Amino acid sequence: MLSVSAVITAAGKNSRMRKDQEKRNIPLQNKLTLPFESSTVIETTIENVLNTKYIEECVIVLGHYESEILPLINHYNDKRIKIIKNDPIDVGLSVSLWNGLNSITSDIALCVTADQPTVSSTTFNNILDTILNSENPKKTISILRRLEIGKLDTAEGLGMPFAASRLELMDYIKDKDDNLNPILREIFADGFEFYGIKENHPDELININHYSDYENLI
């Protein structure tokens, strides 16, 4: 059985949310620390990941706003959790992801952004089941769909969450400082099979980028 770990990126600048809060004259607060369900955005994301089967390690990558986020995750007693920090902190998503992948040892990595608290453990399980049961997990990407379900004929518009071979993914993001979609398109062009996984609930397709996204979800 292939080993599975999770990487949760929580290192972003929060720029779009901050602009919205300033425009609305709302107190500035990192989106990951906003109340969500019975806790906060990031805590809900972490719980959903930890409740996913197969997860042997869970690395949380911090950067910007570390001082605001860290108090919310320091209380976890789960030995699977490891917290790391980008150094330097002003880097793109691909660098945060590489730092996380470089801190785990598994065959397969479940890659998640911390602003996805609506993605359920059920959907994470489906993502992992798909790649683990594929003919060639090393050359497969199992990803939350944006449009089509099943085997995909394009990687346009895709992002996290997804599962991939840790080492294969690291080869593609090494020495890159970029958003994720251009890298996924490159991987697709090299012949990897992509499978779009259907969401368990429509809200799972919403990332919390703007304050209106947050309002709609709560």
Side-chain angles (χ1 to χ4, degrees):
M1 181 69 179
L2 298 175
S3 58
V4 179
S5 298
V7 175
I8 301 175
T9 57
K13 292 182 178 180
N14 194 54
S15 55
R16 285 174 286 188
M17 178 67 73
R18 188 181 181 92
K19 286 179 182 177
D20 289 348
Q21 290 169 334
E22 289 174 341
K23 189 174 182 180
R24 296 185 182 208
N25 199 27
I26 297 170
L28 299 181
Q29 184 175 353
N30 185 280
K31 63 182 178 181
L32 302 183
T33 71
L34 291 169
F36 193 87
E37 295 184 349
S38 59
S39 54
T40 62
V41 169
I42 188 170
E43 288 173 283
T44 305
T45 301
I46 292 170
E47 292 291 342
N48 288 341
V49 170
L50 291 178
N51 288 330
T52 300
K53 60 184 179 180
Y54 308 122
I55 301 298
E56 299 174 16
E57 302 172 279
C58 180
V59 173
I60 304 168
V61 184
L62 301 182
H64 294 280
Y65 301 97
E66 175 198 7
S67 61
E68 293 180 33
I69 297 170
L70 196 55
L72 297 176
I73 59 180
N74 265 337
H75 66 86
Y76 283 100
N77 233 353
D78 196 311
K79 293 181 179 179
R80 294 175 293 173
I81 290 181
K82 179 180 180 181
I83 299 170
I84 67 170
K85 180 182 176 182
N86 288 337
D87 185 15
I89 64 171
D90 196 13
V91 294
L93 178 57
S94 64
V95 177
S96 294
L97 187 55
W98 194 92
N99 289 339
L101 294 169
N102 195 42
S103 301
I104 58 179
T105 59
S106 65
D107 301 305
I108 302 296
L110 175 66
C111 304
V112 183
T113 61
D115 62 356
Q116 296 178 312
T118 58
V119 182
S120 63
S121 299
T122 299
T123 296
F124 289 141
N125 284 333
N126 291 337
I127 289 173
L128 289 172
D129 281 336
T130 298
I131 189 170
L132 292 172
N133 293 318
S134 66
E135 289 187 5
N136 188 359
K138 286 185 66 175
K139 298 296 182 181
T140 298
I141 302 284
S142 177
I143 193 163
L144 178 63
R145 68 98 176 212
R146 291 302 183 269
L147 294 173
E148 300 301 319
I149 298 166
K151 190 173 180 180
L152 303 178
D153 57 10
T154 179
E156 293 291 335
L158 296 177
M160 291 206 246
F162 68 90
S165 163
R166 181 179 68 90
L167 293 178
E168 293 282 346
L169 182 58
M170 289 180 72
D171 281 344
Y172 279 92
I173 65 176
K174 179 175 61 177
D175 300 325
K176 291 181 181 175
D177 189 351
D178 202 349
N179 291 324
L180 197 57
N181 185 255
I183 298 170
L184 290 174
R185 295 202 306 269
E186 180 184 354
I187 295 172
F188 184 87
D190 282 347
F192 280 62
E193 291 192 342
F194 277 59
Y195 290 91
I197 306 304
K198 182 174 172 51
E199 67 281 6
N200 191 48
H201 187 279
D203 286 351
E204 295 186 338
L205 300 178
I206 301 175
N207 286 7
I208 301 177
N209 292 318
H210 295 278
Y211 199 81
S212 58
D213 299 327
Y214 174 68
E215 287 181 316
N216 289 336
L217 289 175
I218 63 170

